[in-house]
Amino acid sequence: MKSSPHRPSIELLFKRGLGSAEIARRLQISSSTVRNVVAAIKKRGDASEVKKSGRPRSVNTRNTRAIIKKRIIRNDGLSLNRMASQLGIARSTVQSIVKNDLKLKSYKLRRGQYLSDKSKAMRLEKCRKLLQHFQVRRVSDVIWTDEKIFTIEPLPNRQNQRQLLSKDDSMSPKRRLAHNRLFPKSVMVWAGITATGKTPLVFIERNVKINSEVYQKIVLMDNLLPWVTQHFAGGPFILQQDWAPSHGSRSTLAVLEAHFPGFLDKNLWPASSPDLNPMDFSVWGMLEGKIAGKVFATVDDLKAALEVAWALIDDGYLRRTVNSVKKRLRACVKARGSNFEILL
């Protein structure tokens, strides 16, 4: 029997000697409700509600599922804890509805650079041009280049760096501290790859600003040009670089025209496109993985480790990585210049 808010009033009037019909008339409720309460009074001596036994009624109802579904449609990043708190139900119930009834699964957000509508349109246009360019030229002839800063100590991964301690030791000096220096020593590294080889690593010290003069002398003339001369032996090649100020200055363009003709100029290579450069979307991450978790006493130790890791990169990896560029260009076109890695 459904609980009635009139139980106390029915009990009071019944004990005063009123019949069920008169009680129903005075309280303006149904006679059946009065009769059920009176029967309970006669059986137990009062009108108090008997606590039901058995399994509690589930809150996983059609209405609850509809509310949760509607909230997720409005904001698919909503915290399950927050939703449970707002609805006044257990998080496990919300999780069960999301997983079993709505068939949804939690995914980490994909990483990618921010792209404005203008950037997307520019990328779309230039990716189409690059695909046309590589119908005539070979993608395997491209020297893909980039720079990256490496530090002598890695950033701590708080999720994976753990200790097994007793509860008493958890607040003792035995508990180690994951820390980083505020400004750890570092080195800028320039490098490049093709489908058939890799350039030397070029280390640029922290206190050296990479202006046009430094880029032209240390990178292009002292390191890249001798390597190109030996590796391609007079054969065709194409230089790719981003368009940082030192890479696109008038004097640098003159060096490129003289020694690296056929480079991918600003009309071909899109800005804001690390997802198209093998150095960015693969090589640097692989190199970081090979030295991950290591702390180096000096910058020279870091350089030595990077040299070893660089030497371990084989031609098979280079070929596979470079050959994936055209697939990425097509995916970028399909995505209309937007982030496209979900299409790969």
Side-chain angles (χ1 to χ4, degrees), residues 57-339:
R57 184 179 178 184
S58 173
V59 294
N60 185 352
T61 63
R62 180 183 297 178
N63 184 53
T64 303
R65 293 193 293 271
I67 292 173
I68 291 175
K69 182 178 181 180
K70 188 174 182 180
R71 293 191 178 196
I72 291 174
I73 290 173
R74 285 202 306 261
N75 178 11
D76 58 14
L78 189 61
S79 160
L80 296 189
N81 286 331
R82 184 176 178 184
M83 202 182 321
S85 175
Q86 290 173 343
L87 296 176
I89 59 179
R91 185 193 187 280
S92 58
T93 301
V94 175
Q95 187 175 20
S96 175
I97 290 173
V98 168
K99 180 180 178 181
N100 301 323
D101 297 294
L102 302 182
K103 307 299 182 185
L104 300 176
K105 184 178 178 181
S106 176
Y107 293 93
K108 292 181 179 179
L109 296 182
R110 293 180 297 116
R111 292 185 176 182
Q113 69 274 21
Y114 169 76
L115 294 168
S116 66
D117 290 341
K118 183 177 179 180
S119 295
K120 293 175 187 177
M122 176 271 299
R123 273 163 54 94
L124 175 60
E125 176 189 353
K126 293 185 179 180
C127 282
R128 285 172 170 165
K129 287 183 178 180
L130 283 168
L131 285 170
Q132 292 176 350
H133 187 72
F134 290 132
Q135 288 179 353
V136 180
R137 301 295 303 272
R138 298 187 306 176
V139 71
S140 58
D141 289 337
V142 179
I143 310 166
W144 305 93
T145 69
D146 196 33
E147 301 96 3
K148 181 175 177 60
I149 294 175
F150 287 85
T151 62
I152 63 173
E153 56 184 44
L155 291 174
N157 185 332
R158 298 186 182 277
Q159 185 64 24
N160 295 330
Q161 288 187 319
R162 296 174 178 269
Q163 267 184 287
L164 295 175
L165 298 170
S166 67
K167 186 175 180 180
D168 291 339
D169 286 340
S170 66
M171 300 302 291
S172 76
K174 290 184 179 180
R175 187 165 181 176
R176 296 195 299 271
L177 177 67
H179 68 278
N180 278 77
R181 297 180 179 90
L182 186 59
F183 299 106
K185 292 181 180 179
S186 61
V187 64
M188 172 77 78
V189 182
W190 177 94
I193 66 164
T194 72
T196 57
K198 51 189 183 290
T199 71
L201 294 181
V202 179
F203 298 109
I204 301 169
E205 300 304 328
R206 184 174 179 175
N207 60 346
V208 177
K209 182 180 179 181
I210 306 181
N211 54 25
S212 297
E213 183 181 354
V214 169
Y215 181 66
Q216 293 164 28
K217 182 180 187 308
I218 296 179
V219 174
L220 296 179
M221 301 305 294
D222 291 352
N223 285 279
L224 182 57
L225 186 57
W227 182 83
V228 164
T229 302
Q230 180 182 17
H231 185 77
F232 290 98
F237 65 89
I238 306 166
L239 174 62
Q240 177 277 334
Q241 59 171 10
D242 63 32
W243 289 102
S246 61
H247 299 182
S249 68
R250 186 175 300 178
S251 60
T252 298
L253 290 175
V255 172
L256 295 176
E257 292 285 0
H259 300 286
F260 305 92
F263 62 92
L264 298 180
D265 61 22
K266 291 183 179 181
N267 292 322
L268 277 175
W269 186 252
S272 303
S273 297
D275 49 0
L276 297 174
N277 183 347
M279 292 298 300
D280 269 306
F281 69 71
S282 183
V283 177
W284 290 135
M286 185 274 299
L287 203 59
E288 280 184 317
K290 289 184 179 294
I291 64 169
K294 299 177 182 177
V295 178
F296 302 98
T298 66
V299 171
D300 286 340
D301 291 340
L302 171 61
K303 291 178 182 179
L306 287 170
E307 292 279 17
V308 171
W310 188 244
L312 293 174
I313 298 177
D314 61 83
D315 289 347
Y317 165 80
L318 296 176
R319 184 173 58 255
R320 292 190 302 272
T321 304
V322 170
N323 286 343
S324 70
V325 170
K326 290 176 76 171
K327 181 179 180 181
R328 285 174 171 265
L329 290 171
R330 288 191 289 267
C332 188
V333 170
K334 186 175 181 179
R336 308 294 296 176
S338 187
N339 301 103

